[in-house]
Amino acid sequence: MSGLRERRRDKAMRAIQECALDLFDERGFAAVTIEEIAAAAEVSPSSVYRYFGTKEGIVVADEFDRMNPEDLLDPGDPVGSLLRAVRAYEAAPEDAAGSEGAPTGPQAGKSPWRRVRYFFAEPSVRVAVLANLDRASRRIAPLIAATGELTGTQARVVTNALVFGYFAALERWYLDGGSRPIAGYVEEGMRPLRGVLRASGHGRPA
């Protein structure tokens, strides 16, 4: 029963997020209210607040937020784990994404990356994304430290480099127009970190 509830919640959250993005794309992020998003999604404003907390939270939220770090990360290969997750997300057949002839840039229809431009175009969304990345780093660091190959401090520095490095690669992709796969940017950007980890005896070769 809990699995069914989870699926229903995820479906409702995706529907609200898509309605919100439609409104943001049409009228601009600042001009849209939670109440208008709720009306478009045919839910109550309290439901929107319960699922997302804030308007920025609507843009930032994705399924990774609700997954256990253990399901996402191989502590022995954190960079490889990130790349696999990015490639899987990029390949997700969500609406127009992945269909023949579908646009691939930041303005692309309803691709998994549709919301990315708001990360960089809206300062309040950027702040929310950075806070989310910090939370992710704090969740991941103990898993890497548990391998015994890095101290707690080293693990936190590595996870910060991982999650905020991912954000930097994503921004570079966005600024370049989003015409090439984001995974290529992440792989290029993470190459120095992967080299450092290998040199320290942590992580597997590419």
Side-chain angles (χ1 to χ4, degrees):
M1 184 64 70
S2 61
L4 179 59
R5 283 197 299 268
E6 291 283 329
R7 288 193 296 272
R8 286 176 175 168
R9 184 192 64 181
D10 290 348
K11 183 177 179 180
M13 291 179 69
R14 283 193 298 270
I16 293 168
Q17 191 174 58
E18 289 298 335
C19 287
L21 289 168
D22 286 342
L23 291 171
F24 298 156
D25 290 348
E26 178 184 346
R27 296 167 47 201
F29 180 82
V32 178
T33 67
I34 291 283
E35 288 72 23
E36 290 168 332
I37 293 167
E42 299 182 340
V43 299
S44 67
S46 63
S47 294
V48 180
Y49 284 113
R50 184 173 68 253
Y51 287 138
F52 299 102
T54 64
K55 191 165 64 170
E56 289 78 11
I58 297 173
V59 180
V60 173
D62 61 34
E63 61 267 32
F64 297 121
D65 296 337
R66 300 183 294 279
M67 295 178 71
N68 293 322
E70 294 88 348
D71 297 330
L72 295 172
L73 182 82
D74 176 357
D77 185 18
V79 174
S81 300
L82 174 63
L83 282 169
R84 287 190 292 274
V86 169
R87 289 183 178 122
Y89 192 49
E90 199 160 33
E94 182 179 329
D95 296 330
S99 61
E100 186 175 355
T104 57
Q107 307 292 337
K110 296 182 179 178
S111 77
W113 303 103
R114 183 187 184 196
R115 59 201 171 88
V116 165
R117 68 188 180 97
Y118 292 101
F119 294 5
F120 308 109
E122 296 295 335
S124 64
V125 175
R126 186 185 185 105
V127 169
V129 172
L130 293 175
N132 211 36
L133 291 173
D134 182 61
R135 285 191 293 272
S137 177
R138 284 189 273 112
R139 293 169 65 200
I140 293 169
L143 301 179
I144 293 179
T147 65
E149 295 176 2
L150 299 174
T151 67
T153 298
Q154 289 170 337
R156 185 64 199 275
V157 170
V158 165
T159 56
N160 273 354
L162 188 73
V163 299
F164 291 106
Y166 160 74
F167 185 73
L170 189 61
E171 185 168 27
R172 186 71 261 167
W173 169 84
Y174 168 77
L175 292 173
D176 283 354
S179 59
R180 294 190 290 118
I182 178 59
Y185 286 84
V186 175
E187 185 169 23
E188 176 189 353
M190 290 292 160
R191 202 167 294 139
L193 178 59
R194 187 167 240 165
V196 168
L197 288 172
R198 285 203 301 269
S200 70
H202 186 95
R204 293 190 284 274

